[in-house]
Amino acid sequence: MTRHPSPRRPKVSQPALAPTASPIPKPTRTLTILAQDPTLVVDNRMLTAAVTIPNEQLSAGPRGYRVQVVDYDASSNRWFAPPDASSFGTIEEPRDPYAQTAPRRQNDWLLDDPGFHAQNVYAITMRTLAHFERALGRRVSWSFGGHQIKVAPHAFAEANAFYSPPDEAMLFGYFDDGKGRRIFNCLSHDIVAHETTHALLDGLRPRYMEPSSPDQAAFHEGFSDVVALLSVFSVHEVVEYAVSRVTGRRAARTVDVARLTISGLRDSVLLGLGEQFGEGLSGVRGAALRRSVKLKPSRLLRHRREYFEEHTRGELLVAAMLQAFLSAYQNRLKTLGLTADGRLPAERVAEEGADIADRLLTMAIRALDYTPPTDITFDDFISALLTSDLEIHPDDARYRLRAHVARGFEAFGFLPASSFGGELGRWEPPPDGLNYSFVHRETLQRDRDEIFRFIWDNRAALKLCDEAYTEVGSVRPCLRVDLDGFTLRETVADYVQILTLRADEIEALPIPNTTKRIRRPPGLDDWQMVRILGGGALVFDEFGHLKYHVRNAVLNPDRQSARLAHLAESGFFDRGQPAARGFSALHMRGSGPSLRAFTREKRPWR
Ligand SMILES: [Zn+2]
């Protein structure tokens, strides 16, 4: 039987009001989502979860202060009636319209309920945004500059889903899988979290879409999958399910810890991700995450030719982080007090797994502030992970996540870009003797021009290129709060340096303190213009002192030579223009009509 949501009001039962309404606005609310996707079925019902997200007074849609569901189907030119604002309650008494009905047995009617689809995409998008804001300790903007992203849960009839910056929207398609099932991408937790991450990452590090290296090309996809995977596994119900698959017993009160091996957990993670669903999505993004989970650690993969392709290479990032998650989880279970026969309460086992996934996700997001703003490599990301975590979480005794992350990447042949002061992976501190005499410490926390003054005054000490065009991207004060209550105040800023040269000027460019030169790639005409980039992330402490300067120098002959060679090899200079910017290009690899053209014509929200 094929299903398509009918354009009608959702079947929603109204939960009874609490006996006495509290006049105090609640900071958070819970909403019911599908824990992963419709294929995750337990006891004849699709597994649902109640997730906690920031509370707000919602309008019909739901439409909120950062996320607006616009339920328009461009393929059938239909609007779906949005769920009523009143079904979500008030800011003092928020309601989850599906709290009572969705977790029941035989809940496959949810597949036919466009109101539930709308709630599902709203809640997962908000949860991902909230996770970024909690991890980074500040507000995080969408890449397109507007405040509200539009989300279309039934945008078109095609096996695709993408984030579209020009539309300021995330568009989710639906399709028939050929086995009588209609698949809705908006009902897949990992796909929604993945697209949301593209929209946030592009806002935080816009230069990561520039052509640079196989690692940078892979980073956007890999990082979005890391967030998606860990988001799914920070849902208690999903971990509970995965554990029951390994131990073979549902609803057991205790679990035999010895059975929870890394390979057993890895296989069950895959089941948690709905392998069948992945097959239905073959050719689109959903399959990549599922392939990454299957990868067994090997240091050789990164050198294999197929792993230079950006989508495939991104899978290595996910596999390394998954390895870190599984080994941290297994280790943690061993250190807890087991009963005489080596068992633990099932509830506790699931809680620990969800908690480790949540912490690892927080660590991955927080690391972004410690990454260079241009030309990232996986090795840079490892150092960013380890350094940022060391700053907020000096004592890592409980889960030893830093050690597991380092080993997870090492198992795939990736090593930190830096190590300092006996700490594996730590970025080096900036040089002594920086000049702060002309900057106002207080203004330094929020003013791009003040940051520029600081950079300019210290350009020699910070080893900037004097001749390059230099621009400060952003300045953001942060108050980071660890899950254990530890707080850290930091200000993060970033700048970029750009040199534009003719091809025949490349090898003549003097590089300070070395006889090396940037190598001109073969096949370039003398007159062809080449742009080289560098830049740095500046992390200041609460007193306005620079703690870290994470940079890629614009005049780094080895790195720039490698980058230019990679661009030449990948045909970048032949095209004579920058690679297409936008995520639809990454995901539009299947056949079918041009969705972009389609949505441009039919954009109902502009
Ligand atoms: Zn993607």
Side-chain angles (χ1 to χ4, degrees), residues 156-302:
F156 38 71
E158 176 145 341
N160 213 334
F162 56 86
Y163 160 56
S164 168
D167 295 315
E168 305 184 358
M170 292 193 294
L171 306 171
F172 297 93
Y174 58 88
F175 62 101
D176 295 322
D177 70 350
K179 297 176 191 164
R181 286 186 312 177
R182 178 151 286 184
I183 305 283
F184 295 101
N185 287 324
C186 69
L187 291 181
S188 179
H189 186 159
D190 63 297
I191 291 177
V192 179
H194 176 101
E195 297 306 328
T196 309
T197 304
H198 275 315
L200 292 166
L201 177 58
D202 193 34
L204 289 163
R205 286 287 183 257
R207 303 279 174 184
Y208 287 0
M209 288 301 290
E210 302 252 354
S212 170
S213 67
D215 273 13
Q216 172 151 305
F219 188 77
H220 239 286
E221 286 307 316
F223 184 80
S224 298
D225 268 345
V226 165
V227 173
L229 180 77
L230 294 173
S231 293
V232 171
F233 277 85
S234 61
V235 173
H236 182 99
E237 289 85 343
V238 174
V239 187
E240 207 171 55
Y241 170 80
V243 168
S244 77
R245 293 295 303 224
V246 184
T247 57
R249 290 186 61 192
R250 297 253 172 81
R253 295 173 73 166
T254 60
V255 168
D256 181 0
V257 170
R259 296 186 67 170
L260 293 173
T261 60
I262 288 189
S263 61
L265 283 167
R266 181 187 289 112
D267 293 346
S268 73
V269 165
L270 188 64
L271 290 162
L273 283 176
E275 201 170 6
Q276 276 185 316
F277 194 72
E279 283 168 15
L281 291 173
S282 62
V284 292
R285 200 220 59 77
L289 180 53
R290 290 156 180 86
R291 268 201 315 274
S292 331
V293 171
K294 284 184 188 166
L295 283 181
K296 299 273 160 57
S298 157
R299 292 189 176 86
L300 302 176
L301 293 177
R302 60 174 297 190

Side-chain angles (χ1 to χ4, degrees), residues 47-350:
L47 192 63
T48 58
V51 292
T52 303
I53 56 170
N55 190 20
E56 61 175 317
Q57 186 68 56
L58 284 168
S59 295
R63 288 181 297 126
Y65 74 111
R66 302 298 302 278
V67 179
Q68 301 207 319
V69 178
V70 179
D71 206 353
Y72 175 70
D73 180 345
S75 295
S76 62
N77 194 19
R78 278 197 296 180
W79 284 93
F80 294 93
D84 212 54
S86 64
S87 62
F88 298 103
T90 63
I91 193 135
E92 293 84 11
E93 283 296 332
R95 283 187 207 155
D96 174 1
Y98 295 90
Q100 308 299 322
T101 52
R104 287 185 191 156
R105 277 170 188 250
Q106 314 265 313
N107 59 0
D108 56 354
W109 57 270
L110 291 170
L111 296 173
D112 293 333
D113 184 343
F116 179 73
H117 298 192
Q119 169 162 323
N120 199 67
V121 281
Y122 167 79
I124 295 170
T125 307
M126 275 302 282
R127 183 172 185 257
T128 310
L129 170 66
H131 217 128
F132 269 73
E133 295 193 333
R134 175 156 62 86
L136 295 173
R138 62 169 188 271
R139 293 287 181 206
V140 178
S141 304
W142 304 114
S143 63
F144 47 80
H147 303 289
Q148 293 164 302
I149 195 165
K150 289 95 179 169
V151 186
H154 314 103
F156 38 71
E158 176 145 341
N160 213 334
F162 56 86
Y163 160 56
S164 168
D167 295 315
E168 305 184 358
M170 292 193 294
L171 306 171
F172 297 93
Y174 58 88
F175 62 101
D176 295 322
D177 70 350
K179 297 176 191 164
R181 286 186 312 177
R182 178 151 286 184
I183 305 283
F184 295 101
N185 287 324
C186 69
L187 291 181
S188 179
H189 186 159
D190 63 297
I191 291 177
V192 179
H194 176 101
E195 297 306 328
T196 309
T197 304
H198 275 315
L200 292 166
L201 177 58
D202 193 34
L204 289 163
R205 286 287 183 257
R207 303 279 174 184
Y208 287 0
M209 288 301 290
E210 302 252 354
S212 170
S213 67
D215 273 13
Q216 172 151 305
F219 188 77
H220 239 286
E221 286 307 316
F223 184 80
S224 298
D225 268 345
V226 165
V227 173
L229 180 77
L230 294 173
S231 293
V232 171
F233 277 85
S234 61
V235 173
H236 182 99
E237 289 85 343
V238 174
V239 187
E240 207 171 55
Y241 170 80
V243 168
S244 77
R245 293 295 303 224
V246 184
T247 57
R249 290 186 61 192
R250 297 253 172 81
R253 295 173 73 166
T254 60
V255 168
D256 181 0
V257 170
R259 296 186 67 170
L260 293 173
T261 60
I262 288 189
S263 61
L265 283 167
R266 181 187 289 112
D267 293 346
S268 73
V269 165
L270 188 64
L271 290 162
L273 283 176
E275 201 170 6
Q276 276 185 316
F277 194 72
E279 283 168 15
L281 291 173
S282 62
V284 292
R285 200 220 59 77
L289 180 53
R290 290 156 180 86
R291 268 201 315 274
S292 331
V293 171
K294 284 184 188 166
L295 283 181
K296 299 273 160 57
S298 157
R299 292 189 176 86
L300 302 176
L301 293 177
R302 60 174 297 190
H303 302 293
R304 295 218 324 233
R305 184 142 197 91
E306 65 263 37
Y307 282 92
F308 281 86
E309 194 279 322
E310 60 198 59
H311 296 81
T312 318
R313 196 168 189 81
E315 293 169 17
L316 297 177
L317 190 76
V318 187
M321 289 294 279
L322 177 69
Q323 182 67 18
F325 167 65
L326 295 177
S327 60
Y329 188 22
Q330 196 199 32
N331 246 53
R332 173 67 179 166
L333 294 177
K334 280 189 204 155
T335 64
L336 297 174
L338 307 179
T339 58
D341 56 351
R343 303 183 78 84
L344 268 177
E347 179 79 2
R348 180 74 194 276
V349 170

Side-chain angles (χ1 to χ4, degrees), residues 433-499:
L434 291 175
N435 179 9
Y436 295 89
S437 46
F438 296 107
V439 294
H440 300 277
R441 305 278 170 106
E442 212 258 330
T443 324
L444 200 64
Q445 295 187 346
R446 61 183 63 88
D447 192 311
R448 290 170 67 235
D449 289 315
E450 200 70 29
I451 292 284
F452 189 82
R453 172 84 205 245
F454 171 78
I455 294 172
W456 185 254
D457 287 351
N458 291 288
R459 60 191 182 281
L462 296 174
K463 298 197 170 111
L464 267 67
C465 171
D466 225 351
E467 291 78 29
Y469 170 76
T470 306
E471 186 180 291
V472 172
S474 64
V475 192
R476 304 171 178 116
C478 320
L479 174 60
R480 313 197 201 268
V481 183
D482 184 28
L483 295 176
D484 298 324
F486 185 79
T487 61
L488 179 70
R489 278 181 193 281
E490 290 180 332
T491 299
V492 294
D494 57 83
Y495 68 88
V496 64
Q497 289 210 292
I498 302 173
L499 276 175

